Amino acid sequence: MRVAVVGVQGDVEEHVLATKKAMRNLGIEGEVVATRRKGVVSKSDAVIIPGGESTTISKLIFADSISNEIVELVESGKPVMGTCAGLIVLSKFGDEQVEKTKTKLLGLLDVKVKRNAFGRQRESFQTTLEMKKVGKIDAVFIRAPIVEEVGKEVEILAEFEGRIVAVQQGKILGLAFHPELSTTKVHEFFLNLAEP
Ligand code: GLN
């Protein structure tokens, strides 16, 4: 199995390591490649869009048309996971910050997101979350977004203080936090969505 981590900006290496560990735990043979070039995502079985700055990640993936490769991969039935900024980029609708910055979104996940939703007081924090299908995990939030509205195909997997922080739509996973920093359970769940 080959998993691509979109490596244009953000916490790319942490996702590579968490994915490798998850593969080992599941006994899956394969490779994990961080990429900022065309032609890698399209030859992968799954793709991860990390956290970072959604404005920057968006600009770079659209400029290089990695965006088209991600859309095509998902349309061919392969899984994609977006965490934090990656969740924002995957979404269909953004908030006024997304509009103001003219950030292009992939529009694959039928949700509306709000950037930096926890405000300045709680820019980053760690908490325990109960995530459906995954179980209890530690979750690290860093200037995290939230999901404000979900379409009818979207299943809510986790909430924190009444706010939606993890969703699934078929093989599309969107998380407001950073699982790669604290657990491999989410990556294991994600890999199980991919066919070898
Ligand atoms: N605040 C960032 C954004 O809106 C996301 C932060 C993150 O990915 N850790 O793009």
Side-chain angles (χ1 to χ4, degrees):
M1 180 191 293
R2 179 196 253 194
V3 180
V5 179
V6 174
V8 290
Q9 193 259 343
D11 60 340
V12 178
E13 201 47 40
E14 290 83 350
H15 265 294
V16 171
L17 291 175
T19 310
K20 282 185 178 164
K21 254 196 215 166
M23 276 183 166
R24 235 177 290 133
N25 293 348
L26 295 173
I28 294 174
E29 298 264 333
E31 56 170 354
V32 186
V33 275
T35 181
R36 48 163 62 216
R37 293 226 200 96
K38 275 193 247 182
V40 177
V41 168
S42 54
K43 291 195 199 81
S44 300
D45 301 295
V47 60
I48 296 174
I49 311 174
E53 271 311 312
S54 51
T55 44
T56 311
I57 294 176
S58 165
K59 248 184 228 141
L60 295 169
I61 63 172
F62 278 95
D64 289 351
S65 35
I66 291 178
S67 53
N68 291 337
E69 292 186 39
I70 297 170
V71 171
E72 278 163 24
L73 199 81
V74 171
E75 281 171 355
S76 74
K78 307 225 165 110
V80 59
M81 171 161 72
T83 61
C84 205
L87 157 67
I88 298 169
V89 173
L90 274 181
S91 300
K92 213 171 202 169
F93 308 105
D95 61 357
E96 65 287 348
Q97 283 189 55
V98 171
E99 259 162 48
K100 233 190 273 164
T101 51
K102 298 199 173 75
T103 305
K104 281 200 214 165
L105 306 180
L106 290 168
L108 291 166
L109 182 59
D110 190 11
V111 301
K112 178 173 190 290
V113 286
K114 181 179 167 60
R115 287 181 70 191
N116 303 311
F118 291 93
R120 287 193 158 257
Q121 244 79 63
R122 300 188 73 179
E123 281 216 323
S124 70
F125 58 95
Q126 184 158 353
T127 188
T128 306
L129 278 185
E130 185 61 42
M131 184 168 165
K132 236 193 207 171
K133 305 179 188 182
V134 171
K136 208 175 228 172
I137 51 166
D138 283 329
V140 180
F141 290 76
I142 305 169
R143 292 181 296 113
I146 53 164
V147 174
E148 286 191 310
E149 289 166 29
V150 296
K152 58 179 187 316
E153 306 291 316
V154 177
E155 184 178 5
I156 297 167
L157 297 185
E159 291 185 48
F160 172 70
E161 294 181 344
R163 292 148 151 205
I164 302 166
V165 294
V167 292
Q168 179 180 9
Q169 178 186 330
K171 293 190 176 188
I172 307 173
L173 273 187
L175 312 177
F177 51 92
H178 287 260
E180 73 285 2
L181 299 181
S182 58
T183 177
T184 55
K185 282 192 202 166
V186 174
H187 289 74
E188 286 164 25
F189 172 59
F190 176 65
L191 290 176
N192 280 328
L193 297 175
E195 318 244 323

